[in-house]
Amino acid sequence: MTVPQPPEPIPGARLLFSLDPSVSHLNHGAYGAVPIVVQRAQQRLRDEMESNPQRFLAQGLVERITHARRHLAAFLGADPEGTALVGNVTTGAAVVLQSLGLRPGDEVVTTDHGYAAVAMSVARECRRTGAVTRTLSVPLAATDEEVVEIVRAGLRPGRTKLLIIDQLTSPTARLFPAAALVAVARERGVPVLVDAAHAPGMLPATVASVGADFWVGNLHKWAYAPRGTAALVVAEPWRERIQPLVVSWEQDAGFPARVEWQATLDYTGWLAAPVGVFTLRSLGVERVRAHNAALAAYAQRVVGDALAVAPERLPEPGGPTVAMRLVPLPPGVATTVDAARDLRAAIADRLAAEVSIAGWNGRGYLRLCGQVYNTPEEYERLALGLPTLLARG
């Protein structure tokens, strides 16, 4: 198996961020990192708001949000009239779930690679409506064809009212064949919600090419937007049915304004989000994607070698631009939520590295991300110290 080589750094990229240089920030996929220029753009907007709150919030703000939304929708390859800005993917998923009109006997189908907070939202809506949820088990090493067949066999036309799939899974860093899964569900008359939390900025597929009934992705991870910026894209037949979680003054305006307008919410992050997209484009979107994916592959191999994980046992994400990789931890390590949290904290405290640790199907995994501010030496330092830390427990 070919040993991945670290990519050449993008000159000056590290200086775009205000991250603490004494810490290795290897978990970009969790909360992202906001470039300094985007921070400043948002602060200017906040200054404008605080200089005259009445004018900022009551004169032209809806139009400014619409302008920002159109810019972001164009970047995503989405219809701006079917796109609403929301706080994050879990918010968008909750909007969709409570708009479906689920009834007793209906079911929502998910996979065991889904994000836990979305699963919680599904469970709550099912309890409220009398519907049920069913989780399909998808092996980590399943091929795209096998994933499609598992989902095909798991749908029950007439009863399955929603299929929720991830475009790129959070706990397992696995790229799912989203467009193929949407096509299978459409054959059976089942609407699909795609959790695309990690897609904007990382994956080249446009929203239109996925073709889902509902698609929701965070721009504050890989597209350098301020936190609390996500896009919910809804296919035309569903738009009139979409209702906000909280009714406010744009309710009669219909979708998307009725979802976006939440009274005195701080909208400055949404208005500054196009600056994040501009920053990404200035660096070169394809250049950043290739750099980050290559760096994540190098990180996986370096840390995997340190933990004596054979290269063939390192999970493959399934895509050339995927900038997150998994390393299996020794059996019995970090298999529970509490144990994973404690190990993550220990790595942060003792090795000065921020990483993601999660248990999935009885096995603990370390998830590593690659971003333009990272260097190969950061992963090498983690690889050097991690075996000793794990041995000490």
Side-chain angles (χ1 to χ4, degrees), residues 12-255:
R14 176 64 180 83
L15 299 176
L16 296 174
F17 298 86
S18 55
L19 295 164
D20 181 353
S22 70
V23 175
S24 296
H25 303 273
L26 311 181
N27 189 21
H28 184 89
Y31 304 107
V34 184
I36 295 170
V37 65
V38 182
Q39 296 178 40
R40 290 175 176 170
Q42 184 178 16
Q43 188 57 53
R44 286 194 296 271
L45 288 161
R46 283 177 170 155
D47 291 343
E48 178 189 347
M49 176 171 60
E50 295 308 328
S51 70
N52 192 332
Q54 174 76 27
R55 173 174 293 181
F56 184 88
L57 290 164
Q59 296 183 28
L61 182 54
V62 170
E63 290 75 19
R64 293 174 77 173
I65 294 170
T66 299
H67 179 75
R69 181 216 312 147
R70 288 183 178 279
H71 186 101
L72 298 172
F75 171 69
L76 297 170
D79 178 2
E81 301 307 315
T83 302
L85 298 180
V86 293
N88 51 40
V89 164
T90 51
T91 299
V95 167
V96 171
L97 285 164
Q98 62 90 39
S99 298
L100 286 177
L102 294 173
R103 299 177 179 179
D106 292 344
E107 68 175 17
V108 177
V109 173
T110 63
T111 79
D112 56 357
H113 294 252
Y115 189 58
V118 173
M120 293 177 191
S121 188
V122 171
R124 186 186 71 169
E125 190 63 17
C126 286
R127 286 195 301 269
R128 189 181 72 82
T129 62
V132 297
T133 180
R134 192 157 51 84
T135 302
L136 304 178
S137 178
V138 178
L140 187 58
T143 65
D144 285 354
E145 292 76 15
E146 289 169 339
V147 174
V148 169
E149 288 309 310
I150 289 169
V151 171
R152 189 195 306 273
L155 298 177
R156 298 193 277 202
R159 184 171 181 183
T160 305
K161 300 302 181 182
L162 184 69
L163 168 67
I164 301 179
I165 58 171
D166 294 71
Q167 196 164 349
L168 177 64
T169 66
S170 179
T172 58
R174 167 64 195 267
L175 186 67
F176 269 16
L181 294 173
V182 169
V184 164
R186 181 163 290 121
E187 291 172 358
R188 284 153 177 73
V190 176
V192 182
L193 167 61
V194 172
D195 178 340
H198 295 277
M202 187 205 293
L203 303 181
T206 63
V207 174
S209 70
V210 175
D213 301 89
F214 314 100
W215 181 102
V216 59
N218 291 324
L219 288 114
H220 56 243
K221 292 181 182 288
W222 303 92
Y224 300 155
R227 291 175 198 88
T229 306
L232 169 63
V233 185
V234 178
E236 197 281 330
W238 291 93
R239 292 173 192 171
E240 287 304 309
R241 293 178 58 175
I242 297 297
Q243 295 293 328
L245 299 177
V246 178
V247 172
S248 194
W249 290 103
E250 291 296 310
Q251 179 66 17
D252 292 340
F255 185 86

Side-chain angles (χ1 to χ4, degrees), residues 321-352:
T321 66
V322 174
M324 303 194 303
R325 294 274 185 142
L326 287 190
V327 178
L329 294 170
V333 174
T335 58
T336 67
V337 172
D338 289 344
R341 182 196 60 230
D342 291 345
L343 178 56
R344 187 207 63 77
I347 292 172
D349 291 342
R350 302 181 203 174
L351 303 181

Side-chain angles (χ1 to χ4, degrees), residues 1 300-305 309-316 325-328:
M1 182 178 291
Q300 182 191 44
R301 186 62 177 272
V302 167
V303 177
D305 285 349
V309 180
E312 61 271 16
R313 291 186 54 240
L314 293 172
E316 288 287 343
R325 294 274 185 142
L326 287 190
V327 178

Side-chain angles (χ1 to χ4, degrees), residues 249-320:
W249 290 103
E250 291 296 310
Q251 179 66 17
D252 292 340
F255 185 86
R258 67 160 54 125
V259 169
E260 290 176 333
W261 187 257
Q262 294 292 296
T264 52
L265 186 74
D266 183 352
Y267 300 96
T268 60
W270 296 357
L271 299 183
V275 181
V277 172
F278 175 80
T279 304
L280 178 59
R281 283 177 166 153
S282 297
L283 292 171
V285 178
E286 296 305 323
R287 183 187 191 190
V288 169
R289 285 171 175 161
H291 172 277
N292 293 347
L295 194 56
Y298 177 75
Q300 182 191 44
R301 186 62 177 272
V302 167
V303 177
D305 285 349
L307 297 182
V309 180
E312 61 271 16
R313 291 186 54 240
L314 293 172
E316 288 287 343

